[in-house]
Amino acid sequence: MSQSHTTAVAPVKAAPREGAPQAAGSPLGAREPRAKQRDAYFDNAKYLAIVLVAIGHAWEPLRDDSRVVSALYNFVYAFHMPAFIVISGYFSRSFDASPGRIRRLVTGVAVPYVVFETAYTLFTRWTDQEPDRPVSLLDPLYLTWFLAALFVWRLTTPLWQRVRWPLPIALTVAALATLSPDIGNDLDLQRVLQFLPYFVLGLCLRPEHFRRVRRWRVRLLALPVLAGAVAVSYWAEPRMTGAWFYHRDSAQELGAPAWFGPVMTLAAFGFSTVLVACFLSWVPGRRLWCTALGAGTLYGYLLHGFVAQGSKYWGWYSPDWIHRPLGVLTVTLAAGAVVTLLCTPPVRRVFRFVVEPDMRWAFRSEPRERPAVPAQTREPGTRTGSRALS
């Protein structure tokens, strides 16, 4: 991920344990007792989204050499993180701040944030040649911003589930954030607030909404919409900045008048939401070779950044042919292969102690939690949460 963004997507623990990135979890993935309890559709969606995250980061050093690459980069950034965040919100609906879920939030989101924020700082001291770069848990580095944001969003879930108009309120909060250049960088609060509407949208969704976007009429309509979005991105690339989709800066910091911030908040939300729907409409619902990898997207999200950062330092982008069409294709395939490898069970077993630490020793034992919703009334197709994105 570029320092401007990212990926991958962490969730809350579920009855059938889902998985981040969503991290971020939620988009990201956690262990589960039995694979048959998982929903293949969402695992496929998380896997495809994390591949797009990795490809986006791999394209970043190539943007200055190609208008096409830059346009595709902006197109992907318009929906890959919103898709992760929507899925994270959807799998956070059962978060009720009970002791068990707070414990899983700490071990599945907060602890990985501390570990990887420290690890990325130490790593970039070497790759960026800044030996004095401080370790700061208040200033997320690179892709760790998503874990910090997910922690905050999930803690506020009970509030969004009780207010009368959650999505309009979240959009208002995001719009006001674009008017406030003094918010500062603590916990990357601009992104926490500006991406908030996508998380709240996920909280508002139900299984039937995902079934509707997968109808054939919607899928057929999605094709010209996606093609048109690519064309618009190509046209807009030299005319406006794609930073509006990074949700990292206020309007003033992007050189726009203050009133433009709320306008772009609504425009970007509408544009990105349509693209997320188009993306989700084409996600396969059956089990594929990559379905099992959806449980490990948090690993792919957190680990691929070391390769993306190191590739620049190691000079992988130095050869001239890398900046030509064949090189772009090679970089794209390599990014997809690397993040796929990082989602596999062997890698997850090696890094589970830092991505999904058990840490039962750190918490008091609690009485067995009763299901938030009786089994006979629970919505079909839902789960009770997961450590990250599920």
Side-chain angles (χ1 to χ4, degrees):
M1 297 192 168
S2 78
Q3 199 138 349
S4 55
H5 253 42
T6 146
T7 217
V9 228
V12 193
K13 184 174 180 179
R17 212 160 149 189
E18 309 161 346
Q22 261 184 115
S26 348
L28 308 177
R31 291 170 286 176
E32 55 194 324
R34 293 188 297 179
K36 68 179 182 180
Q37 295 176 320
R38 298 183 64 91
D39 189 321
Y41 172 75
F42 288 105
D43 278 339
N44 291 336
K46 290 184 291 179
Y47 169 73
L48 293 174
I50 197 62
V51 168
L52 290 176
V53 168
I55 289 174
H57 291 156
W59 282 345
E60 187 180 9
L62 306 174
R63 295 182 62 195
D64 293 339
D65 303 307
S66 171
R67 179 178 175 182
V68 171
V69 173
S70 188
L72 290 174
Y73 177 91
N74 290 332
F75 166 72
V76 167
Y77 266 81
F79 72 89
H80 73 36
M81 282 312 298
F84 260 116
I85 295 167
V86 167
I87 296 174
S88 295
Y90 179 72
F91 283 109
S92 296
R93 293 175 303 147
S94 63
F95 185 84
D96 56 4
S98 62
R101 289 191 169 88
I102 289 292
R103 182 177 66 248
R104 290 188 285 272
L105 179 63
V106 170
T107 58
V109 179
V111 172
Y113 170 73
V114 173
V115 170
F116 281 90
E117 173 67 17
T118 302
Y120 272 109
T121 300
L122 297 178
F123 186 70
T124 54
R125 282 181 181 179
W126 171 49
T127 58
D128 292 349
Q129 299 295 293
E130 292 186 27
D132 297 325
R133 174 173 285 170
V135 176
S136 172
L137 298 182
L138 291 179
D139 188 10
L141 180 65
Y142 201 35
L143 48 70
T144 58
W145 73 268
F146 178 74
L147 293 178
L150 184 62
F151 186 86
V152 174
W153 295 331
R154 190 156 285 163
L155 280 180
T156 63
T157 293
L159 170 65
W160 299 112
Q161 292 176 326
R162 284 162 178 77
V163 297
R164 193 179 295 272
W165 304 288
L167 190 54
I169 293 175
L171 283 167
T172 300
V173 171
L176 291 176
T178 66
L179 301 176
S180 310
D182 297 327
I183 284 181
N185 294 322
D186 288 355
L187 294 181
D188 227 340
L189 196 54
Q190 275 289 359
R191 275 199 278 211
V192 172
L193 298 178
Q194 291 192 39
F195 273 117
L196 174 64
Y198 301 100
F199 183 81
V200 174
L201 174 61
L203 291 175
C204 297
L205 295 178
R206 297 294 178 264
E208 58 267 24
H209 296 126
F210 293 94
R211 288 194 291 269
R212 289 173 187 169
V213 300
R214 295 168 63 196
R215 293 174 179 171
W216 272 107
R217 274 183 286 186
V218 177
R219 289 183 175 183
L220 293 177
L221 181 61
L223 295 177
V225 171
L226 291 171
V230 172
V232 169
S233 181
Y234 183 82
W235 172 86
E237 198 283 326
R239 294 174 172 83
M240 63 179 292
T241 176
W244 289 106
F245 293 110
Y246 305 162
H247 298 293
R248 185 184 55 188
D249 303 297
S250 66
Q252 183 177 330
E253 291 169 311
L254 292 176
W259 63 268
F260 205 60
V263 172
M264 286 302 296
T265 296
L266 297 177
F269 180 78
F271 187 72
S272 295
T273 300
V274 169
L275 293 184
V276 168
C278 292
F279 166 73
L280 292 174
S281 72
W282 278 98
V283 171
R286 65 186 184 281
R287 292 195 65 82
L288 303 172
W289 65 269
C290 62
T291 301
L293 302 178
T297 48
L298 181 56
Y299 293 81
Y301 176 81
L302 292 174
L303 295 173
H304 88 277
F306 292 104
V307 180
Q309 288 281 325
S311 63
K312 304 168 192 174
Y313 176 77
W314 296 319
W316 293 359
Y317 290 92
S318 298
D320 292 338
W321 71 273
I322 285 290
H323 299 265
R324 297 174 189 147
L326 179 59
V328 173
L329 177 61
T330 301
V331 167
T332 302
L333 295 176
V338 167
V339 78
T340 296
L341 176 65
L342 295 176
C343 294
T344 57
V347 174
R348 287 153 54 190
R349 283 194 292 271
V350 171
F351 291 98
R352 181 163 287 153
F353 76 103
V354 290
V355 178
E356 298 180 76
D358 190 283
M359 294 185 65
R360 277 178 287 190
W361 55 269
F363 298 90
R364 294 188 218 169
S365 59
E366 297 287 343
R368 184 182 295 275
E369 292 182 54
R370 300 176 64 183
V373 182
Q376 64 270 23
T377 61
R378 187 179 300 141
E379 298 175 82
T382 63
R383 289 175 282 183
T384 55
S386 91
R387 289 201 177 188
L389 181 78
S390 164

